[in-house]
């Protein structure tokens, strides 16, 4: 049986996944991190919780957070980020610029990649940097 809560794929298997596929997975992991962060910081109340989550996961917010971690990325992580940024996206939400949407897709691609590599500690470290300003505001 596969353990999809703790999945680790080898490099070949990960390379076979499209950048959009990695971003799709990374989007879910990022949203789980945001929701966990909100609950852990006492923001777990009905509509306020949903609104706060939406605010943190929208493309413009992710693009800003991506900019914060870019200087911290390894060469390998930067390559994955660029792979995601260069993805061929066909639909961009009206609430985001093309540039912000591609940065958000790149961030999600990186998170999906790190998740499949089993690098939870690295994801947590990068997420903590992304959320530093939010931590100061709470």
């Amino acid at each position: 049986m596969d353990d999809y809560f703790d999945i680790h794929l080898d490099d070949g298997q990960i390379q076979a996944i499209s950048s959009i596929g990695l971003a799709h997975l990374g989007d879910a992991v990022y949203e789980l991190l945001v929701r966990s962060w909100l609950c852990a910081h006492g923001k777990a109340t009905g509509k306020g919780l949903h609104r706060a989550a939406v605010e943190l996961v929208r493309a413009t917010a992710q693009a800003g957070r991506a900019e914060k971690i870019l200087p911290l990325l390894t060469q390998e992580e930067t390559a994955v980020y660029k792979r995601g940024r260069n993805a061929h996206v066909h639909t961009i939400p009206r609430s985001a610029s093309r540039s912000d949407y591609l940065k958000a897709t790149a961030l999600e691609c990186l998170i999906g990649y790190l998740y499949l590599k089993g690098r939870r500690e690295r994801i947590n470290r990068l997420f903590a940097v992304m959320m530093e300003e939010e931590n100061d505001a709470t």
Side-chain angles (χ1 to χ4, degrees):
M1 178 181 114
D2 290 321
D3 180 357
Y4 292 103
F5 280 113
D6 193 28
I7 193 167
H8 303 264
L9 301 181
D10 65 39
D11 291 339
Q13 292 171 303
I14 294 172
Q15 287 298 342
I17 300 170
S18 71
S19 53
I20 297 296
L22 291 173
H24 179 73
L25 177 59
D27 175 56
V29 173
Y30 184 78
E31 179 139 0
L32 179 60
L33 290 167
V34 165
R35 288 177 179 216
S36 298
W37 185 89
L38 288 168
C39 288
H41 287 83
K43 298 185 184 294
T45 57
K47 278 186 193 175
L49 177 62
H50 177 71
R51 284 189 192 122
V54 168
E55 186 65 25
L56 291 170
V57 300
R58 64 189 172 86
T60 52
Q62 285 186 14
R65 285 177 168 72
E67 292 288 334
K68 288 176 69 171
I69 65 165
L70 279 176
L72 306 175
L73 299 183
T74 66
Q75 211 170 0
E76 172 191 13
E77 292 166 346
T78 300
V80 172
Y81 179 88
K82 288 179 179 178
R83 177 180 167 196
R85 190 188 59 207
N86 295 331
H88 296 287
V89 295
H90 301 289
T91 315
I92 296 172
R94 285 177 288 182
S95 62
S97 69
R98 180 171 186 76
S99 173
D100 281 351
Y101 192 73
L102 292 176
K103 288 176 189 173
T105 301
L107 176 64
E108 292 169 349
C109 183
L110 174 62
I111 291 172
Y113 173 85
L114 292 172
Y115 177 79
L116 290 175
K117 294 285 282 185
R119 297 185 184 160
R120 309 304 189 275
E121 187 176 310
R122 181 63 173 157
I123 294 170
N124 277 315
R125 195 172 310 125
L126 294 173
F127 186 73
V129 171
M130 286 186 260
M131 300 305 287
E132 280 174 350
E133 289 173 15
E134 295 294 325
N135 276 333
D136 295 341
T138 56

